[in-house]
Structure formats: C-alpha cells, structure tokens
Amino acid sequence: MMADKAPSNAPEWSVSDLAGALKRTLEEAFGYVRLRGEISGFRGQHSSGHAYFCLKDQSARIDAVIWKGTFSRLKIRPEEGLEVIATGRITTFPGKSTYQIVVDSLEPAGVGALMALLEERRRKLAAEGLFAEERKRRLPYLPQVVGVITSPTGAVIRDILHRLEDRFPRHVLVWPVRVQGETCADEVAAAIRGFNALDPRGRIPRPDVLIVARGGGSIEDLWGFNEEIVVRAAAESDIPLVSAVGHETDWTLIDHVADRRAPTPTGAAEMVVPVRVELMAGVHDLARRHVESVFRILERRRSDLRATARALPAPDALFAPKRQRLDLAVARLLPALSRNSRTHEARLLDLSRQLSRVSPVARVAAMRGKFDAVGQRPHLAVSRSLVQRQEALKQAGQRLVVARDTLLRAERTRLSQSADLVRRVSERLEPALRGQIDRKAKRFESLGQLFDSLNYKSVLARGFALVRDADGQPLRGAEEVMDGQALVLEFADGTAQATGGRGLRPKVHRPKVAVAEEQGALF
C-alpha cells in the first residue's frame, strides 16, 4: 500500500514550527483589539501572580490572561460576572492549541446578564426569609449516617470519603446527581427531598446530615445551584445541610440557605465529623486528669485525717474522768441500796397491819349478814311483777281480736260495694261498645262501596281500556296521539302494547252511540 502512494513535494512541518507560524499569523492579522464581554471563571490571581479567566457573550468565549506586572497596574480588578471592555493583543498558546487575549487594560461595561439575574433572585429569596440566620440549625456533633449529593464519578466524592476515613469513619450514603447541565437543578432538589423522605427506621437509614458538593467551575457551570427549586428544597430540608459548591471564592444561592457553607468539599467533610484521634486523646486526657484528681483528693483527705487525729486527746485522758465518776457511784450505791430496802420493808409491815383490819374474810362476812337480812323480799316482788304483766298482756290480746274483727267486716262491705259498681258499669259498657262497632262497620262498608264506584278499574271491567304513553301518562284525546308513538293499553285483565297512528275519524253507528251514552251515564 505504501508503494501505491504517489510521492509529494509538500514540505514537512514540525508541530512547534506550525504553532509558531500560526502565532505569528494571528498576531500580525489582529494585533491590539478591544473586546466587550462578561468575565467568567475568574478565581483570583494564581500563585505565580498571573490571572486566568474567560470573556464571553451570548454565543462565544475566549480565554484571557493578565500577567502579574499588568495586574498590579489595572484601574479595576476583574470580578466574576462583571461585564468589561478589555484591551489587549490576540495570541496563541501552543501548549494547548488555543488562542487567547493578553489583557493590558480593563474598563467596566456593566454587570453581566447572569449576575443581574442572580442578584435579582437573591433579593427575592432573601425577602422571603430563606436566608435568615435564625432558620439555620446546628450540625450534629457525631452523625451516624452522612448523606452526600454529588457526582459519583468526580474527584469530589473521593476527597470526601478519604477525609471522612481519616477523621472519623462514618456510614456514607451517596445520591448520584449531575452537577452541571440542564437537569442538574431538578436532580439535586429531588435528592434533597429524597433523603428527607427516608424512614429513620427503614431498611435504608436516614442521614443525620447532608453534604451538597461540587468542584470549582465558571458561573455557568455552577448555575444549577442558583436555581430556585434547589434553594427551596434546601430550605425545606429537615436534615441539617452543608453546602460545598465550588472553591472558596465561588458563591451560589444554596450557600446562603444552607445551615453551613464549606469552602471546599474536603472542608465540608471536616465540618460534619470530628477527628477521632483527637477525641480519643481528649478522652484519655480527661481520664488521666480524673485519676490524678482522685489521687489528690485521697491524699488531701489522708493529710486532713492525720491532722485531725493529732488534734484529738489520748484515750486514757478521755476515759479517766468517767472511770472516776463510776468508782464514786459504786461507793455511794451500796449504802443507798441498804437504806432503800429498809424503807420498803417498814412500809410493807405497815400495809400488812392495815390489811388485817380490812381483810376480805371480814368483808365477806359482813356482806353475808346483810344478804340474810334481806331474805325472800326480792323473790316476792318479782312474782307480783310477773302476774301484773300477764294480766296486761291478756287484756291487750282481747282488744286486738275485737279490732281485727271490726276491720275485716269493714273491708268485706267495701269490696261488696265495689263489685256491685263494676257489674253495673260493665252492663252499660257492653251495649255501648257493640253499637259503636256497628256504626263504624256500616261507615266502612259505605266508603268501600263509594271507592268501588269511583275506581277506574271497575270501568275497565265493563269493556273500556286506558291509553297511556311510554312514560305512563294517560292520553285523554286523539289529538295527543302521534304517528308511530308507543302506547300502552291497560285492560281489566292486563296490559298490551300498541303503536299510535293518526287518520280520519271513523263514522259512528247509532247503536254504538247508544251504548256509549249508556256507559257515559256511569260517570
């Protein structure tokens, strides 16, 4: 195949030669230009002192660079979203095969459209109180579960997991979302609400704190986190939320509504969990201090005890006065006991002499003499009392018998009179009731006859028919019947279906007229 190709005399270029030629061509063709555009992707000065960003409008963008020496001489400093007029020269950067403008001066041209929209939205949400400090909650000191809302393929999630593993390993739930593009806002809002909808006792544990994270980017890249749906979802979250969107210089609306803002995703991981080693060191330090304080207290108590023991008197000095008092009491006790026994002995002899004069034997003898003097008088008095009581009871019984007989006779008389009255009333009531029933029966019979005479079914029994339409309404004349109308004919023994038709009225024969007049007289 190589042999089939025709030889060419076109010169060969090296990559560096071609890049240099393009650079010279572009610089010679344009030279210095003035560009109007919106600053995007500005992150401040690089560590080298240079500044890198982009200038953009509705449909295009161009890289821009301000060298360190030029940056210090600028009248205005570049800011994200600021619309400016930049003066500089167009050149290329061969290392990336891109063209750029090297800015020599900047002039303000107004605030960019995105920044104006962002400021208007910020004022609106702030007026609703979504950014108020009193709404923000404290983060849990040591969460059991950490929820992370970010892209599962970026470096952000790896930085967060690595930082959590270093500080204090926790259970992490990742809700994957797009962190850039048209669906970014809807996915982030759905993730926040989805984490809040989890049941704390469900199979998937509910997080104790949420981290919404994304790496750095331009204002267009971060615009999904400025959408109102994301801000309102973060404000409605019952779970404390940490915003870690972009770098430290990047601010989005979710940063204002979040409970805490982290400058970086790694900083967010540091906010939500403490350092386990530091906690363990603190606990060990507290335990050591506790043991040392206990030893110091014990030693101080021992010193106080020894000082108190030295201040106490000797045991012999304490018991010597008590022993002396005991010896004196023993010496006085024996004579006192002897005197007490003699005193009680004399008193006992005196009491025995008094008792002999009023002894029980003498008192019993005196009482026996009195009883003998009374004799049979109590027995006689009781007998007389019993006889009197029996006589009184006999008289009361006779009076009760007389009263009972009188009461019985009066009741018999009253019952006889009541029976006569009932018999007379019943004799008058039966004819009256029978007459009332006969009158009601005759009236009922007459009403039945009147009903039969007025009932249209009796007319049907004599050969007539009742014509109704399909709705059951009676038709009283031929003019009410329409052609093809469904009719219902009711006879005495049932109903029949018919179809109406209009035509000439037939001639009426005289015999039938006579019958009709005879039948009409019934009505």
Side-chain angles (χ1 to χ4, degrees), residues 148-152 156-157 160 174-179 211 213-214:
V148 181
I149 301 174
T150 187
S151 173
V156 171
I157 185 61
I160 292 175
V174 179
W175 195 299
V177 297
R178 292 184 178 89
V179 293
I211 298 177
R214 187 205 187 282

Side-chain angles (χ1 to χ4, degrees), residues 75-272:
K75 296 180 180 179
I76 63 168
R77 296 290 187 230
E79 296 180 4
E80 181 70 19
L82 183 66
E83 189 172 1
V84 297
I85 298 175
T87 302
R89 52 189 177 84
I90 301 297
T91 184
T92 63
F93 178 52
K96 293 181 61 176
S97 297
T98 59
Y99 65 93
Q100 60 188 11
I101 177 173
V102 179
V103 178
D104 290 336
S105 64
L106 285 178
E107 300 173 15
V111 181
L114 286 180
M115 292 301 296
L117 176 61
L118 180 62
E119 181 62 22
E120 179 183 357
R121 186 174 295 170
R122 187 192 66 80
R123 287 196 299 268
K124 171 188 172 184
L125 297 176
E128 296 180 14
L130 299 184
F131 302 157
E133 288 297 326
E134 55 270 16
R135 296 185 67 258
K136 300 183 184 298
R137 296 156 295 181
R138 295 180 59 185
L139 302 182
Y141 180 71
L142 184 59
Q144 297 296 323
V145 181
V146 178
V148 181
I149 301 174
T150 187
S151 173
T153 59
V156 171
I157 185 61
R158 292 193 295 272
D159 293 342
I160 292 175
L161 294 177
H162 179 70
R163 197 58 177 163
L164 291 175
E165 186 69 24
D166 289 344
R167 290 175 66 85
F168 205 120
R170 296 281 86 188
H171 183 60
V172 178
L173 293 178
V174 179
W175 195 299
V177 297
R178 292 184 178 89
V179 293
Q180 183 175 341
E182 296 180 357
T183 62
C184 169
D186 294 333
E187 293 184 14
V188 172
I192 295 174
R193 294 191 173 100
F195 271 134
N196 279 270
L198 291 177
D199 187 358
R201 296 178 297 275
R203 184 173 59 87
I204 300 177
R206 186 187 185 191
D208 300 314
V209 65
L210 296 180
I211 298 177
V212 180
R214 187 205 187 282
S218 64
I219 187 173
E220 295 87 354
D221 297 337
L222 305 179
W223 189 254
F225 298 92
N226 292 319
E227 295 292 347
E228 188 172 342
I229 185 174
V230 175
V231 177
R232 295 193 181 278
E236 296 167 1
S237 174
D238 294 329
I239 305 174
L241 187 141
V242 178
S243 172
V245 178
H247 298 300
E248 187 170 2
T249 57
D250 296 323
W251 278 89
T252 57
L253 293 182
I254 194 174
D255 296 330
H256 296 287
V257 76
D259 297 296
R260 291 286 298 276
R261 177 188 180 267
T264 61
T266 304
E270 295 176 354
M271 285 182 181
V272 298

Side-chain angles (χ1 to χ4, degrees), residues 10 40 100 149 286 294 353 473 492:
S40 174
Q100 60 188 11
I149 301 174
L286 291 175
V294 171
R353 286 193 297 269
Q473 299 296 324

